[in-house]
Amino acid sequence: MQSTLLHVLLIESGLNLSSVVTAGLLANNPLVRVNMFKVPSLAEGLSCLGTHNIDVVLLDLGNNDRGELLGLQQLQNQCPGLPVVALIEDPESALGLDAIRCGAQDLLSKTAISGSLLTRALLFATVRHQRLQRLKVAAEHDQLTELPNRRCFIDAFNSLDRGQRGTLALIDVDHFRLVNEQFGHVGGD
C-alpha cells in the first residue's frame, strides 16, 4: 500500500505543542508521510494557506475559551474546502461539540495526543472531508451535464449580499417538449 503525503498546518496559540505533534506525526507510519508547517497565530495561518498547498489544519483552540471558536469559524469561512482537526483540553466538553458544529472534522485532547491517534485523525479527517465535498458537488450539480442545479442556484443566490450586483441568464428552448416526447425525459435532460 502506498503512503499518503499530507501537508499539515499547525496553528498553535501559547502552548508549545509543536514538538509533541511533530514527534507524533513523524513517527514511522506506513500509511502517512507528513510535511508540517507551524505558525503561532490564526492570522499567520491564513497567510500560510495563501502561499502553501495545505491538506489539513491542526488548530489549537487555546484554553477552552469560546472566543477561540471565532478563529475556527473564520478559518471555515475563508477556506471551506479545508478539513480542520481541533486540539482542545477536554474533547468531551461543550466546547468540543461546538467545535464540531462550527465545522471541525475531529477533536483531539491536548493531554492525550499519541502519534498513531494524531496521524489517524488527520488522515481520516482529510478522507472524510474529500468524501463530503464529492457528495456536495453531486447534490448541487446535474449528473449528465455537470452544470449547477436549482439547489446550487438558490444557495448562491441566498449567499449574495443585499445590493450586490450580478448577472442571471435564462435559456429558453422553443418546442423542447418535442425532444422529450421523441427521446423521453432522460434523453431530453
Side-chain angles (χ1 to χ4, degrees):
M1 175 180 275
Q2 188 176 6
S3 66
T4 301
L5 175 61
L6 284 181
H7 300 281
V8 178
L9 173 61
L10 170 62
I11 303 174
E12 64 171 327
S13 57
L15 294 176
N16 187 11
L17 294 171
S18 61
S19 59
V20 174
V21 169
T22 303
L25 289 175
L26 298 180
N28 192 10
N29 187 314
L31 295 177
V32 180
R33 293 175 295 125
V34 174
N35 186 13
M36 172 79 77
F37 300 90
K38 299 173 241 177
V39 294
S41 70
L42 181 64
E44 289 180 64
L46 292 171
S47 175
C48 183
L49 289 170
T51 59
H52 294 86
N53 186 20
I54 301 297
D55 297 310
V56 60
V57 173
L58 189 57
L59 179 64
D60 177 10
L61 289 183
N63 295 317
N64 286 350
D65 179 10
R66 291 211 180 271
E68 296 292 340
L69 286 178
L70 296 176
L72 175 59
Q73 290 170 335
Q74 185 179 359
L75 186 61
Q76 289 293 304
N77 290 339
Q78 291 190 18
C79 305
L82 192 63
V84 176
V85 174
L87 293 169
I88 65 175
E89 293 292 329
D90 180 12
E92 315 256 334
S93 68
L95 179 66
L97 184 57
D98 289 344
I100 294 294
R101 286 182 178 139
C102 286
Q105 284 286 321
D106 207 345
L107 301 171
L108 292 175
S109 170
K110 293 183 204 180
T111 58
I113 294 177
S114 71
S116 61
L117 182 63
L118 182 58
T119 303
R120 186 186 73 197
L122 292 171
L123 180 61
F124 286 7
T126 303
V127 171
R128 186 182 313 114
H129 195 75
Q130 289 168 349
R131 176 80 175 147
L132 288 172
Q133 292 298 102
R134 284 194 302 271
L135 288 171
K136 184 178 189 306
V137 168
E140 294 179 344
H141 291 79
D142 178 74
Q143 186 178 6
L144 182 63
T145 63
E146 297 182 7
L147 292 172
N149 63 17
R150 182 174 183 270
R151 176 183 293 129
C152 187
F153 170 76
I154 290 171
D155 288 347
F157 182 78
N158 288 335
S159 70
L160 292 175
D161 292 330
R162 297 288 178 228
Q164 185 176 356
R165 296 181 61 142
T167 303
L168 173 64
L170 294 175
I171 300 172
D172 182 21
V173 179
D174 289 335
H175 309 291
F176 194 76
R177 176 182 52 84
L178 299 174
V179 173
N180 280 337
E181 287 175 0
Q182 183 175 355
F183 299 104
H185 287 284
V186 173
D189 286 348

